[in-house]
Amino acid sequence: MESQKQQVSASGKEKASDALPLPLYLTNGVFFTLFFSVVYFLLLRWREKIRNSVPLHVVTLSEISAIVVFLASFIYLLGFFGISFVQSLILPRSPHDEISDEDDEILIDDLMLKEDSRSAPCAAAAPPTKIFAAPIEPLPEEDEEIVKSVVDGKIPSYALESKLGDCRRAASIRREALQRTTGKSLAGLPLEGFNYEAILGQCCEMPVGYVQIPVGIAGPLLLDGVEYSVPMATTEGCLVASTNRGCKAIMASGGATSTVHRDGMTRAPVVRFGSAKRAAELKLFLEEPLNFETLSLVFNSSSRFGRLQKIKCAIAGKNLYIRFTCSTGDAMGMNMVSKGVQNVLDFLVSQFPDMDVLGISGNYCSDKKPAAVNWIEGRGKSVVCEAIIKEEVVTKVLKTDVASLVELNMLKNLTGSAMAGALGGFNAHASNIVSAVYIATGQDPAQNVESSHCITMMEAINGGKDLHVSVSMPSIEVGTVGGGTQLASQSACLNLLGVKGASKEVPGSNSRLLASIVAGSVLAGELSLMSAIAAGQLVKSHMKYNRSSKDVTKLTASTCT
């Protein structure tokens, strides 16, 4: 505390209270005394005037003096004491409330810029790095010329990486050109501390920085006899805490079990013929079992892991939609299945020369859109996860009872969703958990749309004492190789779950395990949220965890300047 005050004094900034002849607490005491004394005096004088029928506007010299002192003391107390007193009643006090604003800024700077000395929690985690939102020093003269060329349109922004051969430098120049072009500041968006080479040609084009999302841990989740600490990247308060409570209830009841009963990624091109009859002929050809072996050989030649499983067709007039399903190893598999489909289309053109390929994807797949075909046929991994929660756990951990949960699930997740015309949305908040785990582990967050298809079931068993709860999720689309899974942070989260990279022993087992973990986490989240609603705790919990009144603007500024 003393060193912080010395730093403030050294900064040369003066405070208003420095002009007072007495210490601040003595000055406050004097004005307090004056204020209450003159108020008491004036009340006595006015009471006498009322008794003697003397007009109140007739005042003596002493009364005028008392009024002047009253106004002066009131103004002083309002300015130097009253506002902070009112704030202290409304806003929670921090351990540094005795420190001035200048002290506070210095303290925050010291805390935020201090390097983290802790060891990295995961093997792939990068060492701690100081983060700055914008370059501290002016750009070098050479970079300044490039910025001007980008602003003037002489050099395309997208070509900076190839021209400069330095992805970090390209991002910095693009960022500065963007700020000058738009007149908007990107202060607060970090630039340093990220490996821009890792995303080149893979994850993101034309980067100007990166967004920070906190990662929390829910668990341990006891699933199929193994404990998992589940990373969740989210900015929603209460989500991790709620999922963690569900994991606790599952653990206390002996754990959950899961089954992956279907595993296949899909792609569905659309082709057109001159007549509906020709489109129907191709449909019969593709669905003929005798032709499947030939088509499989053509499809499988495009990849070591991609294996054609089935073909399903839908016809609309002269147009034919062909839905290919294939296994994809530990990759999520969109590119893999697309290459195989292209091989088959090239082969079919030789058999049906009048076939016109309109698009490699005709939305019968269906990717990143809610669709009944995914809800019924499945896409990616189809997983069912279940647990039996004991009566005492429901009471002590979840703070409700089995009958209330079963009734609420029927009326909310089943009947309520049906009334809303839900498509795959027969759950409380599966997408919350799916999105958080996807972002943490480098999955495509847009595939949260179909991956969150889920029906939550609850049933009283063992004479109504215990609760059987399950989630059925037909379209979990995940991978442990490729895309964002190769970035350092996301790779570390996969490593934490024990599913990083491709499985050498059983290809595809890592991605299937990740899908099971996603379903198990959803089970925990569903169990906790439904219990909170049944017990009337939902609003109270969100007010506690998701309604912070902190102003983090200064924290961000001190971190980035």
Side-chain angles (χ1 to χ4, degrees):
M1 180 79 68
E2 197 62 34
S3 62
Q4 292 163 353
K5 291 182 178 180
Q6 290 173 1
Q7 291 177 20
V8 176
S9 299
S11 67
K13 295 182 179 180
E14 296 182 354
K15 298 174 288 187
S17 59
D18 294 339
L20 299 174
L22 295 175
L24 187 58
Y25 72 94
L26 290 178
T27 307
N28 285 339
V30 170
F31 276 93
F32 252 122
T33 304
L34 286 174
F35 178 79
F36 288 108
S37 297
V38 297
V39 168
Y40 181 71
F41 172 76
L42 289 172
L43 288 176
L44 288 178
R45 294 292 298 168
W46 291 342
R47 186 176 65 173
E48 291 179 6
K49 288 183 178 183
I50 293 172
R51 286 179 179 177
N52 300 327
S53 300
V54 177
L56 294 178
H57 64 274
V58 178
V59 293
T60 63
L61 182 60
S62 60
E63 291 172 345
I64 293 175
S65 302
I67 292 173
V68 171
V69 172
F70 167 78
L71 293 174
S73 59
F74 177 77
I75 292 172
Y76 171 83
L77 293 175
L78 181 64
F80 286 85
F81 178 75
I83 293 175
S84 61
F85 177 73
V86 172
Q87 287 177 336
S88 69
L89 293 177
I90 299 174
L91 301 178
R93 294 178 64 83
S94 72
H96 308 294
D97 278 347
E98 300 89 352
I99 306 174
S100 66
D101 290 341
E102 294 87 351
D103 289 331
D104 227 13
E105 292 179 4
I106 293 172
L107 178 60
I108 291 170
D109 285 342
D110 291 340
L111 290 175
M112 297 302 291
L113 295 180
K114 189 179 294 183
E115 288 191 341
D116 191 349
S117 60
R118 297 173 296 174
S119 59
C122 303
T129 309
K130 293 183 180 179
I131 298 174
F132 301 94
I136 297 177
E137 300 177 357
L139 290 173
E141 185 176 346
E142 183 180 359
D143 288 356
E144 185 67 33
E145 293 178 1
I146 299 175
V147 169
K148 293 179 180 178
S149 297
V150 173
V151 172
D152 294 339
K154 297 177 181 178
I155 298 179
S157 178
Y158 62 81
L160 287 172
E161 280 80 5
S162 60
K163 287 185 174 294
L164 299 176
D166 185 337
C167 294
R168 157 63 183 80
R169 184 183 173 200
S172 177
I173 291 173
R174 180 181 296 112
R175 178 193 185 99
E176 181 61 27
L178 179 64
Q179 292 184 127
R180 296 184 188 182
T181 303
T182 62
K184 307 293 184 181
S185 172
L186 289 178
L189 181 68
L191 175 66
E192 302 294 346
F194 190 81
N195 183 6
Y196 292 94
E197 281 74 15
I199 64 173
L200 182 63
Q202 176 173 291
C203 294
C204 179
E205 296 75 41
M206 307 202 318
V208 293
Y210 60 98
V211 174
Q212 298 165 292
I213 301 178
V215 177
I217 295 295
L221 169 67
L222 182 57
L223 180 65
D224 299 321
V226 182
E227 295 182 9
Y228 299 96
S229 295
V230 183
M232 301 176 66
T234 181
T235 56
E236 179 185 351
C238 210
L239 178 59
V240 177
S242 178
T243 307
N244 189 67
R245 184 175 74 147
C247 291
K248 180 180 179 181
I250 292 172
M251 170 76 78
S253 299
T257 57
S258 67
T259 303
V260 179
H261 58 88
R262 190 162 46 196
D263 182 6
M265 182 50 64
T266 64
R267 175 60 83 198
V270 54
V271 299
R272 175 182 290 175
F273 287 89
S275 67
K277 180 180 178 181
R278 284 291 288 164
E281 289 175 359
L282 177 58
K283 181 178 185 295
L284 294 174
F285 175 85
L286 291 171
E287 293 179 345
E288 171 59 50
L290 296 177
N291 296 328
F292 184 79
E293 184 177 353
T294 301
L295 296 173
S296 294
L297 291 174
V298 174
F299 185 99
N300 298 345
S301 64
S302 64
S303 170
R304 288 186 301 156
F305 299 104
R307 294 293 178 266
L308 184 63
Q309 295 175 342
K310 64 179 180 179
I311 302 174
K312 181 181 178 66
C313 299
I315 192 168
K318 300 186 296 180
N319 307 303
L320 185 67
Y321 297 83
I322 314 168
R323 193 173 194 258
F324 294 83
T325 304
C326 80
S327 60
T328 57
D330 283 306
M332 185 270 288
M334 287 298 302
N335 292 333
M336 192 182 299
V337 67
S338 294
K339 287 192 297 181
V341 167
Q342 188 62 58
N343 279 4
V344 174
L345 290 176
D346 294 340
F347 170 78
L348 290 176
V349 168
S350 64
Q351 303 294 317
F352 294 82
D354 56 335
M355 182 181 76
D356 184 15
V357 179
L358 299 182
I360 190 70
S361 174
N363 272 11
Y364 187 50
C365 313
S366 173
D367 187 40
K368 302 175 185 176
K369 292 165 284 292
V373 68
N374 292 336
W375 178 241
I376 298 170
E377 297 287 337
R379 189 171 194 256
K381 278 71 174 171
S382 298
V383 186
V384 59
C385 186
E386 63 182 340
I388 296 176
I389 309 301
K390 298 176 181 178
E391 181 182 27
E392 57 269 24
V393 175
V394 174
T395 303
K396 295 179 180 179
V397 178
L398 301 177
K399 311 298 182 185
T400 184
D401 59 84
V402 174
S404 297
L405 280 173
V406 172
E407 182 180 32
L408 178 63
N409 186 72
M410 180 187 67
L411 294 176
K412 171 181 167 62
N413 290 339
L414 304 183
T415 309
S417 296
M419 293 295 292
L423 177 59
F426 298 90
N427 58 81
H429 70 149
S431 63
N432 245 342
I433 292 88
V434 172
S435 295
V437 177
Y438 271 29
I439 295 172
T441 58
Q443 310 305 312
D444 188 339
Q447 289 184 324
N448 162 72
V449 176
E450 61 267 40
S451 296
S452 296
H453 282 347
C454 171
I455 182 168
T456 300
M457 303 292 291
M458 293 185 181
E459 179 184 350
I461 60 174
N462 299 331
K465 292 183 177 180
D466 300 331
L467 175 72
H468 180 274
V469 55
S470 67
V471 292
S472 300
M473 306 179 67
S475 308
I476 300 180
E477 300 166 353
V478 292
T480 58
V481 295
T485 66
Q486 300 181 70
L487 300 179
S489 300
Q490 289 81 348
S491 179
C493 291
L494 289 170
N495 186 59
L496 177 65
L497 293 171
V499 296
K500 176 183 175 182
S503 172
K504 297 180 180 179
E505 293 78 15
V506 184
S509 61
N510 278 355
S511 61
R512 286 192 290 271
L513 177 54
L514 178 57
S516 294
I517 293 171
V518 171
S521 303
V522 169
L523 181 70
E526 290 287 282
L527 189 59
S528 183
L529 177 58
M530 291 295 289
S531 299
I533 296 174
Q537 298 173 336
L538 180 64
V539 175
K540 181 180 178 182
S541 298
H542 274 274
M543 291 301 292
K544 178 179 179 181
Y545 291 102
N546 203 23
R547 295 287 295 175
S548 173
S549 59
K550 291 181 181 178
D551 181 4
V552 297
T553 305
K554 289 186 177 181
L555 293 176
T556 305
S558 65
T559 306
C560 305
T561 55

